[in-house]
Amino acid sequence: MRRRLAGLCLSSTLLLGILGSAVGAQSLKVGATPTGLPFTFLDTKTNTIQGVMVDLVNAVGKEAGFTVAVEPLQFSTLIPALTASKIDIISAAMFITPQRKEVVAFSAPVYSYGEGLIVPKADTKDYMSFADLKGETVGAQVGTAFVEPLKKSGLFGEVKIYDTIPDIIRDVNSGRLKAGFAHAPILAYYVKQGAFPGVRLVETFKPTVVASVGLSVRKTDADLLAKIDKALAKLKADGTLQAILTKWGLPPSADRS
């Protein structure tokens, strides 16, 4: 009888321990944009945010021991939401830049690329650089690393700022913009999907800004950042990161380091 009671107590203790671990698993809020195909986007069939950075943050969380709840936010509101503690992690197509590093802490780089250029499909010119569009009206997305270089170049008649990349593509598609600049992989994905048949991605264009995207947290969350970086290192080493990039059709990273 004593042995039976002891066995029951042991089983109950183990069960409580398992349940306690499950209940105690840290759940973190993740900010992502609904219009950043293929990095982050709203899947209308499931009404959830999907994409490269969603797959990645879920894999990181699984490895690091936390769960994630992905929340849709406009790109320009991601950092303010993080610093205001409305979210805990940013997982989006956000470049690691010196200016942003003054405000938030970034993980190790995940993927590198530059800006892409779209023009009306009827425009067959082989644009190579900003200078080839001198005096024209162009568009870029608010909060991206491309806005400042475009404005500082002094080459354009006007640089219009848009909330989302699809808004830029629509104005190029309709002829209201001569050209649009945005994250090259995102533009390539939209063009490939055929949703905007009146535009083309300029293959000859050489990006001015090439940088890497990464996850970001508050500067005070050093322990969380360490867990994320440790998990990322494992995911890179075991091929999980590359499998995610391949799943979403991304070309090799521009980061050759």
Side-chain angles (χ1 to χ4, degrees):
M1 186 67 172
R2 289 180 180 175
R3 288 182 180 177
R4 188 176 179 182
L5 287 172
L8 287 171
C9 289
L10 180 59
S11 298
S12 298
T13 301
L14 288 171
L15 181 59
L16 287 171
I18 292 169
L19 289 174
S21 297
V23 172
Q26 188 179 23
S27 180
L28 301 177
K29 293 181 180 179
V30 176
T33 61
T35 57
L37 280 162
F39 292 98
T40 55
F41 67 96
L42 178 64
D43 184 336
T44 55
K45 293 180 180 178
T46 62
N47 201 34
T48 59
I49 303 296
Q50 300 292 330
V52 174
M53 300 303 287
V54 175
D55 286 356
L56 178 64
V57 78
N58 275 301
V60 166
K62 184 177 180 181
E63 184 64 34
F66 58 79
T67 60
V68 302
V70 180
E71 301 189 359
L73 293 169
Q74 290 294 336
F75 189 86
S76 59
T77 67
L78 287 171
I79 288 180
L82 180 64
T83 57
S85 296
K86 293 180 180 178
I87 57 174
D88 303 297
I89 302 172
I90 295 173
S91 188
M94 180 175 284
F95 279 158
I96 302 169
T97 66
Q99 294 84 357
R100 288 174 180 152
K101 287 173 74 173
E102 291 178 2
V103 184
V104 299
F106 281 94
S107 71
V110 171
Y111 184 73
S112 301
Y113 59 91
E115 80 272 20
L117 169 66
I118 54 166
V119 297
K121 202 166 188 177
D123 182 351
T124 59
K125 183 175 177 178
D126 289 332
Y127 297 98
M128 299 285 292
S129 66
F130 289 174
D132 292 334
L133 287 156
K134 186 175 181 180
E136 301 289 356
T137 298
V138 300
Q141 186 185 17
V142 62
T144 62
F146 312 127
V147 173
E148 189 175 0
L150 286 167
K151 288 186 173 181
K152 281 190 171 181
S153 73
L155 292 168
F156 305 103
E158 184 182 0
V159 179
K160 290 187 175 181
I161 307 303
Y162 292 79
D163 287 332
T164 72
I165 292 174
D167 289 338
I168 298 172
I169 301 175
R170 287 188 192 99
D171 272 10
V172 173
N173 191 66
S174 66
R176 285 190 287 268
L177 281 179
K178 176 66 174 179
F181 293 91
H183 299 270
I186 297 177
L187 288 177
Y189 200 92
Y190 275 117
V191 171
K192 185 178 180 181
Q193 296 305 303
F196 301 95
V199 305
R200 71 178 180 92
L201 186 68
V202 181
E203 301 291 345
T204 53
F205 180 75
K206 304 298 180 185
T208 298
V209 180
V210 177
S212 302
V213 296
L215 305 179
S216 56
V217 300
R218 286 179 289 276
K219 280 181 168 287
T220 53
D221 289 340
D223 289 344
L224 175 59
L225 184 61
K227 289 179 182 179
I228 290 172
D229 275 335
K230 183 178 180 181
L232 274 176
K234 185 174 186 300
L235 297 176
K236 289 177 181 180
D238 67 14
T240 300
L241 173 58
Q242 185 55 54
I244 292 171
L245 297 174
T246 300
K247 169 187 172 181
W248 293 100
L250 290 182
S253 176
D255 182 9
R256 295 179 174 84
S257 60

